[in-house]
Amino acid sequence: MRELDLLQHIYQSNRDLPAHITIPPGDDMGAFDIPGQTVLVTVDQVADGVHVDSATMPLDRVGRKAITRNLSDVAAMGATPLGAVAAACLPRDFGQERAQVLFDAMRATAQAYACPLIGGDIAMWDGKLLLTVTLFAHAPHPLLRKGALSGDVIFVSGELGGSIENVRGRIHHLDFEPRVALGRALAEHPTLRPHCMIDLSDGLASDLPHLCDASNLSAEIDLAKLPISPAAKQAAARTGRPPWE
């Protein structure tokens, strides 16, 4: 099964959604109208053995990632977070102390971005650690993935590559700062507001096509202009592959 094929199947039902759904599946966040306001919502998972390794990674950083993954979606929409709920499936032998470290990190990270955890659910099971966070936000004029125009310039907000590399104790996919303030500033700027935006979570080669497809355009990337991270250069030195890969 390919994730993209399943998503395309889901998107086929978008036309059947009711009128109060203002952003259907297919963007970084969905949205629905309530009286006087539009509410944006996103959900993301952190699965042990897929997105993290709880046996080798500090649990406070695992908990942090469970929140920041969602906050990056908020940043991509130019939105302001409102609050979050979390569901956790914990291994039966996880232990009270480890659970407290995990949840304290999630709560502290959410509070640091003015996005309080307001509820959720906890279950014990025979599988590995699984964290699911749903986050709510608002934006007067959210930025979408569609809207690119021919001749637009492509920008990224940071250096690219090497997200799993350990560089002086820092591992980007665990320790990154979601660009919530920057996304909101761009969305609200009278002249610099982008035509479209996306959370660059899966890599430039995977995520840029989503912007292209949404506007029926293609893109050209000049490899010499890519802002390559030190982590990517470290990976290149170890593997012998070009840093841009």
Side-chain angles (χ1 to χ4, degrees):
M1 183 185 72
R2 295 177 64 242
E3 179 183 357
L4 183 59
D5 292 338
L6 179 57
L7 290 174
Q8 291 301 325
H9 175 76
I10 293 170
Y11 301 158
Q12 291 174 10
S13 300
N14 285 357
R15 61 183 177 272
D16 299 325
L17 293 171
H20 70 279
I21 306 300
T22 56
I23 302 178
D27 224 295
D28 282 290
M29 301 185 77
F32 57 89
D33 281 344
I34 59 175
Q37 188 168 348
T38 296
V39 178
L40 288 82
V41 60
T42 184
V43 61
D44 250 320
Q45 297 183 99
V46 168
D48 193 3
V50 179
H51 307 107
V52 295
D53 181 359
S54 66
T56 61
M57 297 175 180
L59 280 174
D60 57 340
R61 292 159 81 182
V62 171
R64 181 183 185 280
K65 177 173 180 171
I67 301 296
T68 55
R69 278 171 63 91
N70 286 268
L71 287 168
S72 281
D73 290 336
V74 174
M77 305 296 289
T80 300
L82 294 170
V85 293
C89 290
L90 303 179
R92 297 190 189 280
D93 61 352
F94 200 69
Q96 178 76 14
E97 183 176 343
R98 298 183 75 209
Q100 289 180 183
V101 169
L102 181 71
F103 292 126
D104 286 350
M106 293 173 67
R107 183 177 63 248
T109 303
Q111 289 176 344
Y113 288 89
C115 181
L117 274 174
I118 60 173
D121 184 66
I122 299 172
M124 311 300 291
W125 72 333
D126 295 325
K128 291 186 174 183
L129 174 67
L130 178 63
L131 301 173
T132 305
V133 175
T134 300
L135 192 149
F136 302 92
H138 69 90
H141 305 288
L143 277 159
L144 305 180
R145 292 182 177 183
K146 65 181 180 180
L149 301 177
S150 180
D152 278 355
V153 178
I154 300 162
F155 290 89
V156 294
S157 62
E159 296 174 323
L160 301 175
S163 66
I164 65 172
E165 290 288 307
N166 189 326
V167 180
R168 294 184 296 277
R170 186 179 187 277
I171 302 174
H172 183 75
H173 80 94
L174 290 176
D175 303 319
F176 72 92
E177 292 291 341
R179 307 295 174 88
V180 176
L182 176 60
R184 186 165 58 245
L186 287 171
E188 297 173 355
H189 199 281
T191 59
L192 296 180
R193 176 181 165 92
H195 293 143
C196 59
M197 207 150 65
I198 191 172
D199 167 29
L200 196 63
S201 58
D202 294 326
L204 187 66
S206 295
D207 287 330
L208 179 57
H210 296 317
L211 296 185
C212 295
D213 292 344
S215 299
N216 195 29
L217 294 170
S218 58
E220 292 185 6
I221 299 297
D222 184 345
L223 293 181
K225 294 183 179 180
L226 286 179
I228 303 295
S229 71
K233 294 174 183 178
Q234 175 177 290
R238 187 184 70 254
T239 63
R241 295 167 64 185
W244 66 265
E245 285 189 6

Short mmCIF file of all heavy atoms in Angstrom, two decimals, residues 1 10 12 19 27 42 70 77 84 97 112 122 124 127 147 154 171 183 186 193-194 205 214 217 223 229 236 242 244:
data_model
loop_
_atom_site.label_atom_id
_atom_site.label_comp_id
_atom_site.label_asym_id
_atom_site.label_seq_id
_atom_site.Cartn_x
_atom_site.Cartn_y
_atom_site.Cartn_z
N MET A 1 0.83 -1.19 0.00
CA MET A 1 0.00 0.00 0.00
C MET A 1 0.87 1.25 0.00
O MET A 1 1.84 1.34 0.75
CB MET A 1 -0.90 0.02 1.24
CG MET A 1 -1.87 1.21 1.28
SD MET A 1 -2.80 1.30 2.82
CE MET A 1 -1.52 1.81 3.96
N ILE A 10 -9.01 9.23 -0.36
CA ILE A 10 -9.73 10.03 0.64
C ILE A 10 -10.17 11.36 0.05
O ILE A 10 -11.30 11.82 0.27
CB ILE A 10 -8.85 10.24 1.88
CG1 ILE A 10 -8.63 8.90 2.60
CG2 ILE A 10 -9.46 11.26 2.82
CD1 ILE A 10 -7.59 8.95 3.69
N GLN A 12 -11.05 12.13 -2.81
CA GLN A 12 -12.16 12.04 -3.76
C GLN A 12 -13.51 12.32 -3.10
O GLN A 12 -14.48 12.64 -3.79
CB GLN A 12 -12.18 10.65 -4.40
CG GLN A 12 -11.01 10.40 -5.36
CD GLN A 12 -10.97 8.96 -5.87
OE1 GLN A 12 -11.92 8.20 -5.66
NE2 GLN A 12 -9.88 8.59 -6.53
N ALA A 19 -21.13 22.41 3.69
CA ALA A 19 -20.65 23.74 3.35
C ALA A 19 -19.81 24.38 4.46
O ALA A 19 -18.98 25.25 4.17
CB ALA A 19 -21.83 24.65 3.01
N ASP A 27 -4.69 19.52 2.82
CA ASP A 27 -3.81 20.61 3.20
C ASP A 27 -3.12 20.26 4.51
O ASP A 27 -3.32 19.18 5.06
CB ASP A 27 -4.59 21.92 3.31
CG ASP A 27 -3.85 23.09 2.66
OD1 ASP A 27 -2.77 23.44 3.18
OD2 ASP A 27 -4.33 23.62 1.66
N THR A 42 -5.59 19.90 13.08
CA THR A 42 -4.63 18.96 12.52
C THR A 42 -4.41 17.83 13.51
O THR A 42 -4.61 18.00 14.73
CB THR A 42 -3.29 19.64 12.18
OG1 THR A 42 -2.43 18.69 11.54
CG2 THR A 42 -2.60 20.17 13.42
N ASN A 70 2.75 18.83 15.12
CA ASN A 70 1.49 19.51 14.85
C ASN A 70 1.67 21.02 14.72
O ASN A 70 1.03 21.67 13.89
CB ASN A 70 0.50 19.22 15.98
CG ASN A 70 -0.05 17.82 15.92
OD1 ASN A 70 -1.09 17.56 15.32
ND2 ASN A 70 0.64 16.89 16.55
N MET A 77 0.15 27.09 7.88
CA MET A 77 -1.12 27.74 7.55
C MET A 77 -1.11 29.22 7.94
O MET A 77 -2.08 29.93 7.68
CB MET A 77 -2.28 27.03 8.26
CG MET A 77 -2.38 25.55 8.02
SD MET A 77 -2.73 25.10 6.30
CE MET A 77 -4.43 25.63 6.12
N ALA A 84 -4.77 21.82 22.43
CA ALA A 84 -4.52 20.49 21.89
C ALA A 84 -5.10 19.44 22.82
O ALA A 84 -5.27 19.66 24.03
CB ALA A 84 -3.02 20.25 21.70
N GLU A 97 6.99 6.43 36.17
CA GLU A 97 8.00 7.48 36.09
C GLU A 97 8.27 7.89 34.64
O GLU A 97 8.35 9.09 34.33
CB GLU A 97 9.30 7.01 36.75
CG GLU A 97 10.39 8.07 36.78
CD GLU A 97 11.62 7.61 37.53
OE1 GLU A 97 11.54 6.62 38.29
OE2 GLU A 97 12.68 8.26 37.36
N ALA A 112 4.67 26.28 26.03
CA ALA A 112 5.68 27.22 25.51
C ALA A 112 5.21 27.90 24.23
O ALA A 112 5.68 28.99 23.90
CB ALA A 112 6.99 26.48 25.26
N ILE A 122 -5.73 7.91 27.64
CA ILE A 122 -4.58 7.04 27.86
C ILE A 122 -5.07 5.60 27.89
O ILE A 122 -6.07 5.28 28.52
CB ILE A 122 -3.86 7.37 29.18
CG1 ILE A 122 -3.35 8.81 29.17
CG2 ILE A 122 -2.70 6.41 29.42
CD1 ILE A 122 -2.81 9.27 30.51
N MET A 124 -3.44 1.35 27.95
CA MET A 124 -2.31 0.42 28.04
C MET A 124 -2.55 -0.71 27.06
O MET A 124 -3.68 -1.21 26.92
CB MET A 124 -2.19 -0.14 29.47
CG MET A 124 -2.22 0.93 30.57
SD MET A 124 -0.90 2.14 30.45
CE MET A 124 0.51 1.12 30.85
N GLY A 127 1.32 -3.30 22.41
CA GLY A 127 2.16 -2.74 21.35
C GLY A 127 3.17 -1.75 21.88
O GLY A 127 3.36 -1.58 23.09
N GLY A 147 -2.34 27.85 -4.86
CA GLY A 147 -2.25 29.29 -5.04
C GLY A 147 -0.98 29.75 -5.73
O GLY A 147 -0.81 30.93 -6.03
N ILE A 154 10.67 30.03 -4.96
CA ILE A 154 10.48 29.08 -3.86
C ILE A 154 11.45 29.42 -2.73
O ILE A 154 12.66 29.56 -2.96
CB ILE A 154 10.73 27.64 -4.35
CG1 ILE A 154 9.74 27.29 -5.46
CG2 ILE A 154 10.60 26.65 -3.19
CD1 ILE A 154 10.18 26.09 -6.28
N ILE A 171 19.58 16.56 17.34
CA ILE A 171 19.00 15.78 16.25
C ILE A 171 17.78 16.56 15.76
O ILE A 171 16.80 16.73 16.49
CB ILE A 171 18.59 14.38 16.72
CG1 ILE A 171 19.81 13.64 17.30
CG2 ILE A 171 17.98 13.58 15.57
CD1 ILE A 171 19.48 12.30 17.93
N GLY A 183 5.52 31.89 10.32
CA GLY A 183 4.38 31.60 9.46
C GLY A 183 3.27 32.62 9.61
O GLY A 183 2.68 33.08 8.61
N LEU A 186 4.35 36.01 8.04
CA LEU A 186 4.25 35.99 6.59
C LEU A 186 2.80 36.09 6.13
O LEU A 186 2.47 36.81 5.19
CB LEU A 186 4.90 34.72 6.04
CG LEU A 186 6.42 34.65 6.09
CD1 LEU A 186 6.90 33.24 5.73
CD2 LEU A 186 7.04 35.67 5.15
N ARG A 193 3.19 38.36 1.88
CA ARG A 193 2.40 37.14 2.06
C ARG A 193 2.62 36.20 0.87
O ARG A 193 2.41 36.58 -0.29
CB ARG A 193 0.91 37.49 2.18
CG ARG A 193 -0.01 36.27 2.28
CD ARG A 193 -1.47 36.72 2.36
NE ARG A 193 -2.37 35.63 2.09
CZ ARG A 193 -2.90 34.81 3.01
NH1 ARG A 193 -2.59 34.99 4.28
NH2 ARG A 193 -3.72 33.84 2.68
N PRO A 194 3.04 34.95 1.13
CA PRO A 194 3.25 34.00 0.03
C PRO A 194 1.93 33.61 -0.63
O PRO A 194 0.86 33.73 -0.04
CB PRO A 194 3.88 32.79 0.73
CG PRO A 194 4.33 33.29 2.07
CD PRO A 194 3.41 34.39 2.43
N ALA A 205 12.08 17.14 -1.86
CA ALA A 205 11.68 16.36 -3.03
C ALA A 205 10.31 15.73 -2.85
O ALA A 205 9.62 15.45 -3.83
CB ALA A 205 12.73 15.28 -3.31
N ALA A 214 -1.07 21.11 -6.50
CA ALA A 214 -2.23 21.89 -6.09
C ALA A 214 -2.54 23.02 -7.05
O ALA A 214 -3.68 23.49 -7.13
CB ALA A 214 -2.01 22.45 -4.69
N LEU A 217 1.31 23.18 -11.64
CA LEU A 217 2.56 23.77 -12.10
C LEU A 217 3.71 22.81 -11.84
O LEU A 217 3.55 21.80 -11.15
CB LEU A 217 2.84 25.09 -11.36
CG LEU A 217 1.87 26.25 -11.63
CD1 LEU A 217 2.14 27.38 -10.66
CD2 LEU A 217 2.02 26.73 -13.07
N LEU A 223 20.42 23.32 -7.56
CA LEU A 223 21.09 22.63 -6.45
C LEU A 223 22.11 23.52 -5.76
O LEU A 223 22.32 23.43 -4.55
CB LEU A 223 21.76 21.36 -6.95
CG LEU A 223 20.84 20.24 -7.44
CD1 LEU A 223 21.66 19.04 -7.87
CD2 LEU A 223 19.84 19.85 -6.37
N SER A 229 22.28 21.88 5.34
CA SER A 229 22.58 21.92 6.78
C SER A 229 23.92 21.23 7.06
O SER A 229 24.35 20.35 6.32
CB SER A 229 21.48 21.22 7.57
OG SER A 229 21.54 19.82 7.36
N ALA A 236 26.76 13.26 4.36
CA ALA A 236 27.42 13.07 3.07
C ALA A 236 28.85 12.57 3.26
O ALA A 236 29.32 11.69 2.52
CB ALA A 236 27.42 14.39 2.30
N PRO A 242 26.24 12.82 -2.32
CA PRO A 242 26.24 14.29 -2.37
C PRO A 242 25.39 14.85 -1.23
O PRO A 242 24.34 14.28 -0.88
CB PRO A 242 25.61 14.60 -3.73
CG PRO A 242 25.79 13.37 -4.54
CD PRO A 242 25.72 12.22 -3.57
N TRP A 244 23.26 17.24 -1.15
CA TRP A 244 21.87 17.57 -1.49
C TRP A 244 20.97 16.36 -1.43
O TRP A 244 19.75 16.50 -1.25
CB TRP A 244 21.79 18.24 -2.86
CG TRP A 244 22.17 17.37 -4.03
CD1 TRP A 244 23.39 17.30 -4.62
CD2 TRP A 244 21.31 16.47 -4.75
NE1 TRP A 244 23.38 16.42 -5.67
CE2 TRP A 244 22.11 15.89 -5.77
CE3 TRP A 244 19.99 16.10 -4.65
CZ2 TRP A 244 21.61 14.96 -6.69
CZ3 TRP A 244 19.50 15.16 -5.53
CH2 TRP A 244 20.29 14.62 -6.55
#
